[in-house]
Amino acid sequence: MKIFLDTADIAEIRRAAEAGLIDGVTTNPSLLAQVGAGRDPKAIYKEICETVNGPVSAEVIATDKATMLVEGRKLASLHPNIVVKVPLTEDGLKACRTLTSEGIRTNVTLCFSVSQALLAAKAGATFISPFVGRIDDVSGEGMQLVHQIRQVYDNYGFDTEILAASLRHPTHVVESMLLGADAATMPPKVLWQLAKHPLTDNGLAAFLKDWGKLGTTL
Ligand code: E4P
């Protein structure tokens, strides 16, 4: 399973990439806004692409197909790692189909239903991004969506990859793995939470205390 970092914060991306823990990055306009005030977003995307050797999702801003294509081609030309993110709308699906036919990889975002995921696969999406946490936020079962998309894609042999998104805590990541998501994107905080366990911390403290009784070093 691929781990993507859901951020545009280059310091956090470097930290995870240097540890060899991430396979790519996802961004969205809100994440860009957190780090990019007064900066050229294209420069931010390039910097991320030069830091991570894997797919980097960059989202179009237009809502009509023609302008989405202009933006998508421009984004794709920035770096071979770029995956063009389009929203799951009628125009987004049409843009996805065209970009795919041009050999440009796509991530269809803001997916909240199996029927939407089906159409994204039919449009040739490279990735589909079901937003788990946002479904949970409105008292839905976000993970159920990942489960159902996995079943539909397997039933019909679609090769669109399921990229579990809007993950808010480690359990979301583990459940995505158990359900067979191809990739999970998570904020830096959640990535590092995956490594944490109080018994690890307690056990290490006890080992070091006992070692201290030896009165020597290695
Ligand atoms: C995915 O590509 C999105 O950038 C992201 O996962 C959305 O997460 P949020 O619902 O926590 O904003």
PDB file of all heavy atoms in Angstrom, residues 29 59-72 75 85-87 89 91-92 95:
ATOM      1  N   PRO A  29      -6.424  22.996  -2.981  1.00  0.00           N
ATOM      2  CA  PRO A  29      -6.315  24.455  -2.864  1.00  0.00           C
ATOM      3  C   PRO A  29      -6.240  24.933  -1.414  1.00  0.00           C
ATOM      4  O   PRO A  29      -5.522  25.893  -1.107  1.00  0.00           O
ATOM      5  CB  PRO A  29      -7.589  24.952  -3.558  1.00  0.00           C
ATOM      6  CG  PRO A  29      -7.894  23.889  -4.567  1.00  0.00           C
ATOM      7  CD  PRO A  29      -7.525  22.594  -3.894  1.00  0.00           C
ATOM      8  N   GLU A  59      -4.178  20.272  -8.067  1.00  0.00           N
ATOM      9  CA  GLU A  59      -5.597  20.376  -8.452  1.00  0.00           C
ATOM     10  C   GLU A  59      -5.892  21.554  -9.384  1.00  0.00           C
ATOM     11  O   GLU A  59      -5.338  22.641  -9.208  1.00  0.00           O
ATOM     12  CB  GLU A  59      -6.430  20.506  -7.164  1.00  0.00           C
ATOM     13  CG  GLU A  59      -7.920  20.394  -7.377  1.00  0.00           C
ATOM     14  CD  GLU A  59      -8.652  20.007  -6.092  1.00  0.00           C
ATOM     15  OE1 GLU A  59      -8.007  19.499  -5.130  1.00  0.00           O
ATOM     16  OE2 GLU A  59      -9.874  20.213  -6.046  1.00  0.00           O
ATOM     17  N   VAL A  60      -6.779  21.304 -10.348  1.00  0.00           N
ATOM     18  CA  VAL A  60      -7.241  22.399 -11.208  1.00  0.00           C
ATOM     19  C   VAL A  60      -8.199  23.277 -10.392  1.00  0.00           C
ATOM     20  O   VAL A  60      -8.800  22.825  -9.420  1.00  0.00           O
ATOM     21  CB  VAL A  60      -7.962  21.878 -12.479  1.00  0.00           C
ATOM     22  CG1 VAL A  60      -7.034  21.045 -13.332  1.00  0.00           C
ATOM     23  CG2 VAL A  60      -9.228  21.109 -12.127  1.00  0.00           C
ATOM     24  N   ILE A  61      -8.318  24.536 -10.818  1.00  0.00           N
ATOM     25  CA  ILE A  61      -9.189  25.490 -10.127  1.00  0.00           C
ATOM     26  C   ILE A  61     -10.456  25.748 -10.940  1.00  0.00           C
ATOM     27  O   ILE A  61     -11.506  26.064 -10.399  1.00  0.00           O
ATOM     28  CB  ILE A  61      -8.439  26.833  -9.911  1.00  0.00           C
ATOM     29  CG1 ILE A  61      -7.136  26.583  -9.145  1.00  0.00           C
ATOM     30  CG2 ILE A  61      -9.300  27.839  -9.156  1.00  0.00           C
ATOM     31  CD1 ILE A  61      -7.316  25.861  -7.826  1.00  0.00           C
ATOM     32  N   ALA A  62     -10.357  25.570 -12.260  1.00  0.00           N
ATOM     33  CA  ALA A  62     -11.503  25.825 -13.135  1.00  0.00           C
ATOM     34  C   ALA A  62     -12.612  24.814 -12.869  1.00  0.00           C
ATOM     35  O   ALA A  62     -12.357  23.720 -12.357  1.00  0.00           O
ATOM     36  CB  ALA A  62     -11.062  25.737 -14.589  1.00  0.00           C
ATOM     37  N   THR A  63     -13.819  25.182 -13.257  1.00  0.00           N
ATOM     38  CA  THR A  63     -14.936  24.249 -13.102  1.00  0.00           C
ATOM     39  C   THR A  63     -15.525  23.835 -14.448  1.00  0.00           C
ATOM     40  O   THR A  63     -16.427  23.004 -14.498  1.00  0.00           O
ATOM     41  CB  THR A  63     -16.050  24.861 -12.221  1.00  0.00           C
ATOM     42  OG1 THR A  63     -16.430  26.116 -12.782  1.00  0.00           O
ATOM     43  CG2 THR A  63     -15.571  25.058 -10.786  1.00  0.00           C
ATOM     44  N   ASP A  64     -15.049  24.431 -15.534  1.00  0.00           N
ATOM     45  CA  ASP A  64     -15.516  24.012 -16.857  1.00  0.00           C
ATOM     46  C   ASP A  64     -14.422  23.183 -17.539  1.00  0.00           C
ATOM     47  O   ASP A  64     -13.224  23.409 -17.313  1.00  0.00           O
ATOM     48  CB  ASP A  64     -15.869  25.233 -17.720  1.00  0.00           C
ATOM     49  CG  ASP A  64     -14.635  26.050 -18.048  1.00  0.00           C
ATOM     50  OD1 ASP A  64     -14.140  26.755 -17.131  1.00  0.00           O
ATOM     51  OD2 ASP A  64     -14.117  25.951 -19.176  1.00  0.00           O
ATOM     52  N   LYS A  65     -14.874  22.243 -18.369  1.00  0.00           N
ATOM     53  CA  LYS A  65     -13.946  21.280 -18.956  1.00  0.00           C
ATOM     54  C   LYS A  65     -12.799  21.946 -19.722  1.00  0.00           C
ATOM     55  O   LYS A  65     -11.626  21.600 -19.532  1.00  0.00           O
ATOM     56  CB  LYS A  65     -14.701  20.324 -19.890  1.00  0.00           C
ATOM     57  CG  LYS A  65     -13.787  19.336 -20.571  1.00  0.00           C
ATOM     58  CD  LYS A  65     -14.485  18.585 -21.714  1.00  0.00           C
ATOM     59  CE  LYS A  65     -13.454  17.850 -22.564  1.00  0.00           C
ATOM     60  NZ  LYS A  65     -14.021  17.304 -23.802  1.00  0.00           N
ATOM     61  N   ALA A  66     -13.144  22.927 -20.561  1.00  0.00           N
ATOM     62  CA  ALA A  66     -12.123  23.525 -21.429  1.00  0.00           C
ATOM     63  C   ALA A  66     -10.997  24.148 -20.594  1.00  0.00           C
ATOM     64  O   ALA A  66      -9.808  23.935 -20.875  1.00  0.00           O
ATOM     65  CB  ALA A  66     -12.748  24.580 -22.345  1.00  0.00           C
ATOM     66  N   THR A  67     -11.377  24.906 -19.562  1.00  0.00           N
ATOM     67  CA  THR A  67     -10.335  25.551 -18.755  1.00  0.00           C
ATOM     68  C   THR A  67      -9.621  24.533 -17.872  1.00  0.00           C
ATOM     69  O   THR A  67      -8.425  24.660 -17.604  1.00  0.00           O
ATOM     70  CB  THR A  67     -10.930  26.706 -17.926  1.00  0.00           C
ATOM     71  OG1 THR A  67     -11.867  27.421 -18.728  1.00  0.00           O
ATOM     72  CG2 THR A  67      -9.857  27.671 -17.469  1.00  0.00           C
ATOM     73  N   MET A  68     -10.358  23.514 -17.427  1.00  0.00           N
ATOM     74  CA  MET A  68      -9.694  22.447 -16.658  1.00  0.00           C
ATOM     75  C   MET A  68      -8.586  21.813 -17.497  1.00  0.00           C
ATOM     76  O   MET A  68      -7.512  21.494 -16.982  1.00  0.00           O
ATOM     77  CB  MET A  68     -10.690  21.324 -16.299  1.00  0.00           C
ATOM     78  CG  MET A  68     -11.565  21.601 -15.125  1.00  0.00           C
ATOM     79  SD  MET A  68     -12.573  20.116 -14.826  1.00  0.00           S
ATOM     80  CE  MET A  68     -13.767  20.768 -13.704  1.00  0.00           C
ATOM     81  N   LEU A  69      -8.862  21.636 -18.792  1.00  0.00           N
ATOM     82  CA  LEU A  69      -7.851  21.015 -19.655  1.00  0.00           C
ATOM     83  C   LEU A  69      -6.622  21.917 -19.805  1.00  0.00           C
ATOM     84  O   LEU A  69      -5.484  21.444 -19.753  1.00  0.00           O
ATOM     85  CB  LEU A  69      -8.445  20.703 -21.033  1.00  0.00           C
ATOM     86  CG  LEU A  69      -9.458  19.554 -21.052  1.00  0.00           C
ATOM     87  CD1 LEU A  69     -10.048  19.362 -22.440  1.00  0.00           C
ATOM     88  CD2 LEU A  69      -8.823  18.258 -20.561  1.00  0.00           C
ATOM     89  N   VAL A  70      -6.875  23.216 -19.962  1.00  0.00           N
ATOM     90  CA  VAL A  70      -5.750  24.164 -20.071  1.00  0.00           C
ATOM     91  C   VAL A  70      -4.904  24.084 -18.796  1.00  0.00           C
ATOM     92  O   VAL A  70      -3.684  23.942 -18.835  1.00  0.00           O
ATOM     93  CB  VAL A  70      -6.263  25.611 -20.293  1.00  0.00           C
ATOM     94  CG1 VAL A  70      -5.113  26.605 -20.199  1.00  0.00           C
ATOM     95  CG2 VAL A  70      -6.984  25.711 -21.638  1.00  0.00           C
ATOM     96  N   GLU A  71      -5.588  24.168 -17.643  1.00  0.00           N
ATOM     97  CA  GLU A  71      -4.867  24.128 -16.358  1.00  0.00           C
ATOM     98  C   GLU A  71      -4.180  22.774 -16.152  1.00  0.00           C
ATOM     99  O   GLU A  71      -3.041  22.705 -15.684  1.00  0.00           O
ATOM    100  CB  GLU A  71      -5.840  24.393 -15.202  1.00  0.00           C
ATOM    101  CG  GLU A  71      -6.389  25.811 -15.179  1.00  0.00           C
ATOM    102  CD  GLU A  71      -7.378  26.034 -14.036  1.00  0.00           C
ATOM    103  OE1 GLU A  71      -7.710  25.059 -13.324  1.00  0.00           O
ATOM    104  OE2 GLU A  71      -7.822  27.180 -13.860  1.00  0.00           O
ATOM    105  N   GLY A  72      -4.900  21.710 -16.478  1.00  0.00           N
ATOM    106  CA  GLY A  72      -4.355  20.363 -16.270  1.00  0.00           C
ATOM    107  C   GLY A  72      -3.096  20.128 -17.092  1.00  0.00           C
ATOM    108  O   GLY A  72      -2.103  19.586 -16.590  1.00  0.00           O
ATOM    109  N   LEU A  75      -0.269  22.133 -15.536  1.00  0.00           N
ATOM    110  CA  LEU A  75       0.246  21.481 -14.323  1.00  0.00           C
ATOM    111  C   LEU A  75       1.105  20.271 -14.694  1.00  0.00           C
ATOM    112  O   LEU A  75       2.197  20.074 -14.161  1.00  0.00           O
ATOM    113  CB  LEU A  75      -0.918  21.046 -13.424  1.00  0.00           C
ATOM    114  CG  LEU A  75      -1.671  22.168 -12.695  1.00  0.00           C
ATOM    115  CD1 LEU A  75      -2.963  21.643 -12.068  1.00  0.00           C
ATOM    116  CD2 LEU A  75      -0.784  22.795 -11.619  1.00  0.00           C
ATOM    117  N   LYS A  85      -5.362  16.730 -10.498  1.00  0.00           N
ATOM    118  CA  LYS A  85      -6.540  16.451  -9.679  1.00  0.00           C
ATOM    119  C   LYS A  85      -7.732  17.214 -10.249  1.00  0.00           C
ATOM    120  O   LYS A  85      -7.655  18.436 -10.451  1.00  0.00           O
ATOM    121  CB  LYS A  85      -6.253  16.938  -8.261  1.00  0.00           C
ATOM    122  CG  LYS A  85      -6.747  16.046  -7.159  1.00  0.00           C
ATOM    123  CD  LYS A  85      -6.230  16.592  -5.830  1.00  0.00           C
ATOM    124  CE  LYS A  85      -6.722  15.760  -4.685  1.00  0.00           C
ATOM    125  NZ  LYS A  85      -6.395  16.369  -3.395  1.00  0.00           N
ATOM    126  N   VAL A  86      -8.816  16.486 -10.500  1.00  0.00           N
ATOM    127  CA  VAL A  86     -10.033  17.145 -11.000  1.00  0.00           C
ATOM    128  C   VAL A  86     -11.198  16.763 -10.095  1.00  0.00           C
ATOM    129  O   VAL A  86     -11.239  15.650  -9.558  1.00  0.00           O
ATOM    130  CB  VAL A  86     -10.355  16.738 -12.466  1.00  0.00           C
ATOM    131  CG1 VAL A  86      -9.278  17.220 -13.415  1.00  0.00           C
ATOM    132  CG2 VAL A  86     -10.555  15.240 -12.600  1.00  0.00           C
ATOM    133  N   PRO A  87     -12.160  17.677  -9.912  1.00  0.00           N
ATOM    134  CA  PRO A  87     -13.297  17.360  -9.041  1.00  0.00           C
ATOM    135  C   PRO A  87     -14.282  16.399  -9.708  1.00  0.00           C
ATOM    136  O   PRO A  87     -14.363  16.349 -10.938  1.00  0.00           O
ATOM    137  CB  PRO A  87     -13.949  18.735  -8.819  1.00  0.00           C
ATOM    138  CG  PRO A  87     -13.601  19.513 -10.042  1.00  0.00           C
ATOM    139  CD  PRO A  87     -12.235  19.038 -10.472  1.00  0.00           C
ATOM    140  N   THR A  89     -17.177  16.090 -10.940  1.00  0.00           N
ATOM    141  CA  THR A  89     -18.332  16.742 -11.544  1.00  0.00           C
ATOM    142  C   THR A  89     -18.421  16.254 -12.984  1.00  0.00           C
ATOM    143  O   THR A  89     -17.498  15.581 -13.470  1.00  0.00           O
ATOM    144  CB  THR A  89     -18.136  18.273 -11.560  1.00  0.00           C
ATOM    145  OG1 THR A  89     -16.930  18.552 -12.331  1.00  0.00           O
ATOM    146  CG2 THR A  89     -17.969  18.837 -10.157  1.00  0.00           C
ATOM    147  N   ASP A  91     -18.073  17.992 -15.703  1.00  0.00           N
ATOM    148  CA  ASP A  91     -16.926  18.545 -16.439  1.00  0.00           C
ATOM    149  C   ASP A  91     -15.615  17.904 -15.989  1.00  0.00           C
ATOM    150  O   ASP A  91     -14.719  17.659 -16.805  1.00  0.00           O
ATOM    151  CB  ASP A  91     -16.853  20.068 -16.263  1.00  0.00           C
ATOM    152  CG  ASP A  91     -17.836  20.779 -17.166  1.00  0.00           C
ATOM    153  OD1 ASP A  91     -19.050  20.679 -16.887  1.00  0.00           O
ATOM    154  OD2 ASP A  91     -17.412  21.415 -18.147  1.00  0.00           O
ATOM    155  N   GLY A  92     -15.534  17.619 -14.697  1.00  0.00           N
ATOM    156  CA  GLY A  92     -14.326  16.978 -14.190  1.00  0.00           C
ATOM    157  C   GLY A  92     -14.122  15.594 -14.803  1.00  0.00           C
ATOM    158  O   GLY A  92     -12.998  15.214 -15.166  1.00  0.00           O
ATOM    159  N   ALA A  95     -13.047  16.057 -18.387  1.00  0.00           N
ATOM    160  CA  ALA A  95     -11.635  16.474 -18.436  1.00  0.00           C
ATOM    161  C   ALA A  95     -10.734  15.293 -18.119  1.00  0.00           C
ATOM    162  O   ALA A  95      -9.680  15.110 -18.745  1.00  0.00           O
ATOM    163  CB  ALA A  95     -11.399  17.615 -17.437  1.00  0.00           C
TER     164      ALA A  95
END
